[in-house]
Amino acid sequence: MSKLPIYEHVVQYYETDQMAVVHHSNYIRWFEEARVYIFDKIGLGYREMEENGIVSPVTSVTAEFKTMTKFYDTVNIEVKFVKFTGVRLYIEYIISDKTTGEVRCTGRSEHCFIGNDGKIISIKRSNPDIYEKMQQYIEE
């Protein structure tokens, strides 16, 4: 098993409310930012996957807010692939303050894989090389 890199994000002013606290919707966006970054880093970038006829929509996402994140904080976003069936991928996220390590938010997302025709595909059968690469990063 290989460990995935950490994604770092500096909170922008537009991501906050009048109290300089991050609006809850941004955590879901950060999950996606981190996920796209990670896929690029492991050689399975979204652009390349889509050029090969593979799309990976989100089928479910949840977030639990632990502590407030504020304007100009830097957060680390840890991404863990916890289960991959070849048809579905389950990911967990931990967003923590870069300086203190305090957990700000945790979450999960579930994804399937579809072809250009919109039908679910099995990566294990259709692209065994991608399947094997993904398996290296499962942290069950």
Side-chain angles (χ1 to χ4, degrees):
M1 172 194 64
S2 298
K3 185 141 174 78
L4 294 169
I6 301 292
Y7 177 72
E8 188 175 288
H9 179 84
V10 177
V11 177
Q12 303 299 308
Y13 184 76
Y14 70 86
E15 296 173 311
T16 64
D17 60 21
Q18 193 173 13
M19 298 178 296
V21 174
V22 170
H23 187 271
H24 66 276
S25 65
N26 288 296
Y27 293 93
I28 304 299
R29 290 183 180 101
W30 297 349
F31 292 169
E32 184 168 315
E33 275 183 35
R35 188 173 62 249
V36 169
Y37 170 84
I38 296 301
F39 273 88
D40 281 339
K41 288 295 183 189
I42 66 172
L44 296 172
Y46 272 70
R47 178 178 289 149
E48 293 79 15
M49 295 276 277
E50 289 176 0
E51 286 172 356
N52 288 310
I54 303 168
V55 181
S56 181
V58 175
T59 58
S60 172
V61 64
T62 61
E64 289 188 33
F65 310 106
K66 306 293 185 182
T67 58
M68 291 186 289
T69 308
K70 295 193 170 197
F71 173 54
Y72 237 151
D73 286 353
T74 299
V75 293
N76 288 330
I77 306 170
E78 186 178 351
V79 175
K80 294 180 183 180
F81 296 164
V82 293
K83 185 177 177 185
F84 179 52
T85 67
V87 175
R88 295 211 181 270
L89 174 63
Y90 302 84
I91 302 174
E92 291 182 350
Y93 307 86
I94 300 171
I95 298 177
S96 59
D97 184 274
K98 181 180 179 181
T99 304
T100 67
E102 186 175 16
V103 174
R104 303 291 187 205
C105 179
T106 60
R108 288 183 62 103
S109 63
E110 180 181 324
H111 308 261
C112 68
F113 297 91
I114 60 174
N116 288 332
D117 59 1
K119 294 183 181 176
I120 292 179
I121 59 174
S122 168
I123 296 296
K124 188 174 183 176
R125 281 183 287 177
S126 66
N127 299 84
D129 52 331
I130 293 174
Y131 177 81
E132 290 302 319
K133 187 173 251 188
M134 292 284 291
Q135 285 296 107
Q136 294 175 41
Y137 296 98
I138 301 301
E139 295 190 40
E140 292 183 84

